[in-house]
């Protein structure tokens, strides 16, 4: 093996950028310690990364080592900008994603039902932003399965999209990325949450019009060979049910654990023109507690199955239920502890997502763009 080959140099450079990303700010000697690269290699690589605008020097850490000022390195958050979209079944939200994995919200629009109309809208927004900023990636969070090799939306059941090749509809001279919303959510948590730093197995459950799950195994997203992993919303929880799902099966978990179930089973009147608005109205009603408690139980049934199969350390709930009070999570926890294998729940933590106004889906789309940029550094 030739250690001075250009390819090894590229891999080292990507690795250093990744290390700075994950441990920022840090000194050159710390990079050398973590990577095992010689100090001179680290000096050369960081010089390149600074010149190319990825990394910057941010003052020194002199307090604990008097007389010896160490310069620290951090990433430049505005080094690269991505335009990120959270494609919702009813409403799509968009914003700008930065190199530190944060997002500023831009706006939202009603999701057109036809893919060509939807991508026309995306192009329009891209053109508007591009007039004043250099956009490096477009990254989409999709409520369905995405073949990331072909950039093909295999199926987004609640949108009625099937086999949508994104690049056929959206022609740009920058990379377009897309992934399932629950996958992106677990990526966002992995990147930003304190309690996820040492977690290798985790599941993120997005509860919206449908139910999706993102699965982290051995610290990495598990997408499956044909990109359908984590479609736990379509596991059968009632084998004799006559309730038909969008996926064509009957008795799927999402028929019982989505916000649509709660809306259908609430007896009062709800305001709003789509499921998200109706569910927001439901949450405010004094007499909605019973239906929400039942929803928590229904969610718990799926969590039990997931916990028994994957033995995760953390189960995170996001989407429209993450702002429901402690009682909601207590019901889920109690039901899961009661039904799941005792050894599977010993160290299990169930909690709402840390993301609020800016959704985990949108932040995840920004993190996906960051990962893509690092993976393509030359
Ligand atoms: Zn289904």
């Amino acid at each position: 093996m030739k250690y001075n080959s250009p390819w090894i140099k590229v891999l080292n450079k990507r690795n250093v950028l990744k290390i700075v990303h994950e441990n920022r700010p840090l000194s050159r000697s710390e990079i050398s310690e973590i990577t095992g690269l010689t100090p001179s290699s680290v000096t050369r690589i960081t010089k390149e990364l600074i010149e190319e605008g990825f990394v910057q020097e941010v003052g020194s850490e002199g307090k604990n080592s008097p007389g010896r000022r160490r310069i620290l390195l951090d990433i430049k958050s505005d080094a690269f900008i991505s335009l990120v979209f959270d494609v919702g079944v009813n409403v799509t939200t968009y914003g700008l994603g930065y190199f530190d994995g944060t997002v500023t919200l831009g706006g939202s629009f009603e999701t057109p039902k036809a893919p060509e109309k939807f991508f026309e809208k995306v192009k329009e927004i891209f053109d508007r932003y591009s007039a004043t900023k250099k956009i490096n990636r477009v990254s989409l969070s999709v409520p369905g399965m995405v073949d990331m090799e072909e950039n093909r939306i295999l199926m987004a059941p609640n949108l009625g999209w099937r086999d949508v090749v994104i690049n056929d509809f959206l022609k740009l001279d920058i990379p377009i990325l897309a992934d399932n919303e629950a996958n992106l959510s677990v990526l966002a948590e992995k990147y930003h949450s304190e309690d996820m730093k040492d977690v290798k197995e985790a599941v993120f459950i997005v509860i919206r019009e449908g139910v999706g799950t993102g699965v982290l195994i051995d610290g990495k997203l598990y997408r499956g060979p044909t990109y359908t992993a984590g479609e736990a919303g379509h596991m059968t929880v009632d084998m004799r049910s006559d309730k038909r799902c969008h996926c064509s099966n009957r008795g799927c978990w999402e028929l019982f654990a989505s916000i649509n179930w709660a809306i259908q089973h609430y007896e009062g009147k709800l305001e709003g023109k789509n499921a998200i608005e109706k569910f927001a109205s439901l949450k405010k009603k004094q007499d909605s507690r019973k239906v929400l408690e039942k929803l928590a139980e229904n969610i718990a049934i799926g969590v039990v199955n997931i916990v028994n199969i994957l033995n995760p350390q953390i189960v995170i709930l996001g989407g429209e239920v993450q702002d429901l009070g402690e009682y909601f999570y207590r019901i889920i926890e109690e039901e899961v502890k009661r039904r799941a294998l005792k050894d599977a729940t010993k160290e299990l933590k169930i909690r709402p997502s840390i993301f609020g106004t800016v959704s985990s889906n949108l932040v995840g789309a920004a993190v996906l763009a960051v990962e893509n940029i690092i993976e393509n550094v030359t």
Side-chain angles (χ1 to χ4, degrees), residues 234 245 247 252:
H234 300 289
C245 179
C247 76
C252 290

Side-chain angles (χ1 to χ4, degrees), residues 233-235 245-249 252 254-255:
H234 300 289
M235 69 176 146
C245 179
H246 291 288
C247 76
S248 84
N249 184 26
C252 290
E254 77 169 35
L255 296 172

Side-chain angles (χ1 to χ4, degrees), residues 188-304:
E189 290 276 349
K190 177 77 188 152
Y191 193 86
H192 288 286
S193 301
E194 268 312 309
D195 66 357
M196 286 282 284
K197 291 277 181 270
D198 301 313
V199 165
K200 299 239 186 224
E201 274 75 32
V203 177
F204 193 111
I205 305 171
V206 178
I207 309 276
R208 274 177 158 183
E209 293 94 336
V211 174
T213 55
V215 177
L216 198 74
I217 294 179
D218 199 20
K220 291 194 190 78
L221 252 176
Y222 182 70
R223 295 185 171 101
T226 54
Y227 299 95
T228 68
E231 284 299 327
H234 300 289
M235 69 176 146
T236 308
V237 292
D238 183 352
M239 59 194 269
R240 306 204 198 288
S241 171
D242 53 2
K243 278 179 93 177
R244 173 83 69 184
C245 179
H246 291 288
C247 76
S248 84
N249 184 26
R250 291 170 197 271
C252 290
W253 181 37
E254 77 169 35
L255 296 172
F256 302 90
S258 66
I259 61 169
N260 289 342
W261 183 90
I263 292 165
Q264 286 154 14
H265 288 80
Y266 176 69
E267 280 165 9
K269 201 177 141 32
L270 296 170
E271 294 81 42
K273 56 183 184 304
N274 58 49
I276 304 266
E277 288 177 18
K278 281 182 183 154
F279 190 68
S281 145
L282 183 149
K283 284 191 277 189
K284 288 191 203 113
K285 303 280 181 192
Q286 295 286 337
D287 58 351
S288 65
R289 181 76 172 239
K290 227 173 90 188
V291 78
L292 289 172
E293 283 175 357
K294 190 77 190 123
L295 177 68
E297 281 172 32
N298 294 356
I299 290 171
I301 296 302
V303 177
V304 168

Side-chain angles (χ1 to χ4, degrees), residues 73-105:
L73 295 168
D74 199 348
I75 55 155
K76 278 180 88 168
S77 63
D78 60 351
F80 283 85
I81 298 176
S82 56
L83 180 59
V84 291
F85 291 85
D86 175 7
V87 185
V89 174
N90 293 296
V91 176
T92 295
T93 313
Y94 60 91
L96 292 177
Y98 297 91
F99 199 43
D100 60 358
T102 60
V103 169
T104 55
L105 277 180

